[in-house]
Amino acid sequence: MNTEFLFADRQFTLIRYPEKHQHVSLQAWDSADELLIEHIETSLSEGAITTSTAPKMMIFNDDFGVLGCWFAHVEPLWVSDSYIAYRSLLENLTANQLTPTTKDNAITAPVQTLTSVDSLSFTPASDVDIVVIKIPRTLALLEQQLIDIQRYITPDTYVVAAGKVKTITKSVLGLFEKYIGKTTTSLAKKKSRLVFATRDNAKTHAKSPYPTRWQAKGTTSQTLTLDNLANVFSRQSLDIGARIMLEHMTVSANDVIVDLGCGNGVLGVNALALAPEAKVIFVDESYMALESARLNVLNNFPDKIDQCEFVASNCLEALLERSQRPAVTKILCNPPFHQQNAITDHIAWQMFTDSRDLLVKSGHLVVVGNRHLDYHIKLKKLFGGAKVLASDKKFVILGTAKR
Ligand code: SAM
């Protein structure tokens, strides 16, 4: 992995977390980060952005902490939906002697981190001078964030966003126009572009259309009511893989279940419908996913909330790192197969490896996936084999036990 970020006259060593699992061709920053840094530095030094004291800055969706490290000297507020982005920032601040302090899984200095869920109710002490946004992949997340920032910005706030040219679509620009005001873009440079928006005070504070709510039939034919915050996987309807899992899921009363990569928590909530005594640990790297899962336990089985845990983690590492690991008997997993825009199976591999390490002896891992993903090959390597529990033309559910 290329880790030396050299720009203007400053140098940082930057990794993508977790460093050991990264492909050598990957790096922690992209041309949109470079464009943002160059533009903001030039605008500050040439007086195009004017602030009386050190600028009050908010940074959204910094993928691996490059923006947080670069602007650490202005002590920005840093908002992300991703636990992996948060851990990358933490590692990168440390590696570059920016000595982060932490409290309750948040960085308190020199950057102050907020999760995407904290930001929904956050109101800063004073207006923000500069808002920096890396355009996220999910349009709904951008929409939620633009609605959120309406509370902090004035026509004097400098709102600048950046992304790869292909991500700056008409719909993206339409959201800036709708929620902020007049919007312009820069010319493309190294395949990225900047977006500038000026707050129009005539726009009243919009009501968020999220969470999106819909219903699904669980295994017991009980109707499950599911809330989905803006950045949740398959926000608008039940995923086809999840649907097949629901049709074939079995759990028993004394199971300790992990819903791994829980999204809105549909699999874990369905497990509670089948076995109301079971304990369920919902795990995801997206804070909006975990919060949706929590809402969905409350929507469907409010009296079971104390049997449930909601854990931000990269795969299962947060549970594996505990001095007292939970005695997990069943892991349900519909693995992600995309990261950024690339199809990848390295997260599935780590999820399966972690599952083998966490499960008690004879504990089960149940995985659903598209047939072409060939998860059975991985499961054979790690567990010695896997059984087809159900399948249709596109999907297969595989079950395996720890020996
Ligand atoms: N379980 C839900 C369902 O069946 O509808 C969601 C499944 S979705 C295919 C995969 C989930 O894995 C997403 O919610 C995503 O945020 C999560 N995820 C992606 N990378 C992860 C990682 N490294 N660690 C934990 N969760 C991850």
Side-chain angles (χ1 to χ4, degrees), residues 18 81 83-84 214 231-234 237-239 241-243 245 259-268 283-286 289 311-316 332-339 347 350-351 368:
D81 186 46
Y83 172 83
I84 290 173
W214 39 266
N231 203 30
V232 172
F233 167 81
S234 206
S237 59
L238 185 64
D239 172 59
R243 183 185 305 273
M245 273 291 235
D259 181 349
L260 174 54
C262 64
N264 64 14
V266 62
L267 302 182
V283 176
D284 207 288
E285 82 94 25
S286 153
V311 181
S313 176
N314 172 36
C315 301
L316 289 169
L332 306 168
C333 186
N334 177 6
F337 52 94
H338 282 102
Q339 194 177 47
I347 303 172
Q350 200 195 334
M351 285 184 165
V368 65

Side-chain angles (χ1 to χ4, degrees), residues 89-110:
L89 174 68
L90 185 60
E91 300 259 325
N92 287 329
L93 287 169
T94 308
N96 292 285
Q97 290 78 47
L98 292 162
T99 25
T101 52
T102 59
K103 189 172 175 235
D104 302 333
N105 297 319
I107 301 173
T108 50

Side-chain angles (χ1 to χ4, degrees), residues 270-290:
N270 185 60
L272 286 172
L274 283 168
E277 310 303 315
K279 289 200 169 54
V280 185
I281 308 175
F282 295 87
V283 176
D284 207 288
E285 82 94 25
S286 153
Y287 299 105
M288 284 194 170
L290 292 169

Side-chain angles (χ1 to χ4, degrees), residues 208-281:
S208 170
Y210 310 108
T212 309
R213 176 174 280 196
W214 39 266
Q215 295 185 318
K217 274 257 175 305
T219 318
T220 58
S221 57
Q222 176 171 353
T223 301
L224 305 173
T225 298
L226 297 160
D227 275 332
N228 299 264
L229 287 169
N231 203 30
V232 172
F233 167 81
S234 206
R235 177 181 54 79
Q236 286 171 302
S237 59
L238 185 64
D239 172 59
I240 329 172
R243 183 185 305 273
I244 295 177
M245 273 291 235
L246 293 189
E247 283 163 12
H248 299 279
M249 193 190 290
T250 57
V251 286
S252 53
N254 43 12
D255 268 329
V256 175
I257 298 161
V258 170
D259 181 349
L260 174 54
C262 64
N264 64 14
V266 62
L267 302 182
V269 170
N270 185 60
L272 286 172
L274 283 168
E277 310 303 315
K279 289 200 169 54
V280 185
I281 308 175

Side-chain angles (χ1 to χ4, degrees), residues 76-260:
L77 272 159
W78 186 97
V79 184
S80 171
D81 186 46
S82 163
Y83 172 83
I84 290 173
Y86 165 78
R87 287 298 297 259
S88 300
L89 174 68
L90 185 60
E91 300 259 325
N92 287 329
L93 287 169
T94 308
N96 292 285
Q97 290 78 47
L98 292 162
T99 25
T101 52
T102 59
K103 189 172 175 235
D104 302 333
N105 297 319
I107 301 173
T108 50
V111 170
Q112 189 188 328
T113 59
L114 293 175
T115 71
S116 52
V117 176
D118 302 327
S119 73
L120 298 179
S121 55
F122 174 80
T123 312
S126 59
D127 291 332
V128 174
D129 296 313
I130 308 174
V131 174
V132 182
I133 303 174
K134 257 318 257 304
I135 307 281
R137 263 164 300 150
T138 318
L139 211 56
L141 177 61
L142 178 66
E143 183 171 25
Q144 177 68 62
Q145 292 175 330
L146 295 179
I147 293 170
D148 290 348
I149 67 170
Q150 287 185 324
R151 285 200 302 269
Y152 328 136
I153 64 172
T154 70
D156 294 329
T157 309
Y158 200 87
V159 179
V160 56
K164 289 273 159 59
V165 171
K166 63 174 188 282
T167 66
I168 304 189
T169 56
K170 269 195 183 150
S171 312
V172 163
L173 298 176
L175 289 177
F176 280 92
E177 289 277 0
K178 178 173 178 189
Y179 294 109
I180 307 299
K182 189 172 175 331
T183 301
T184 55
T185 58
S186 72
L187 293 174
K189 192 170 169 188
K190 287 211 274 176
K191 294 194 183 149
S192 289
R193 266 165 96 183
L194 295 169
V195 177
F196 308 100
T198 307
R199 171 81 160 122
D200 174 353
N201 265 350
K203 290 187 188 293
T204 49
H205 192 187
K207 187 172 167 346
S208 170
Y210 310 108
T212 309
R213 176 174 280 196
W214 39 266
Q215 295 185 318
K217 274 257 175 305
T219 318
T220 58
S221 57
Q222 176 171 353
T223 301
L224 305 173
T225 298
L226 297 160
D227 275 332
N228 299 264
L229 287 169
N231 203 30
V232 172
F233 167 81
S234 206
R235 177 181 54 79
Q236 286 171 302
S237 59
L238 185 64
D239 172 59
I240 329 172
R243 183 185 305 273
I244 295 177
M245 273 291 235
L246 293 189
E247 283 163 12
H248 299 279
M249 193 190 290
T250 57
V251 286
S252 53
N254 43 12
D255 268 329
V256 175
I257 298 161
V258 170
D259 181 349
L260 174 54

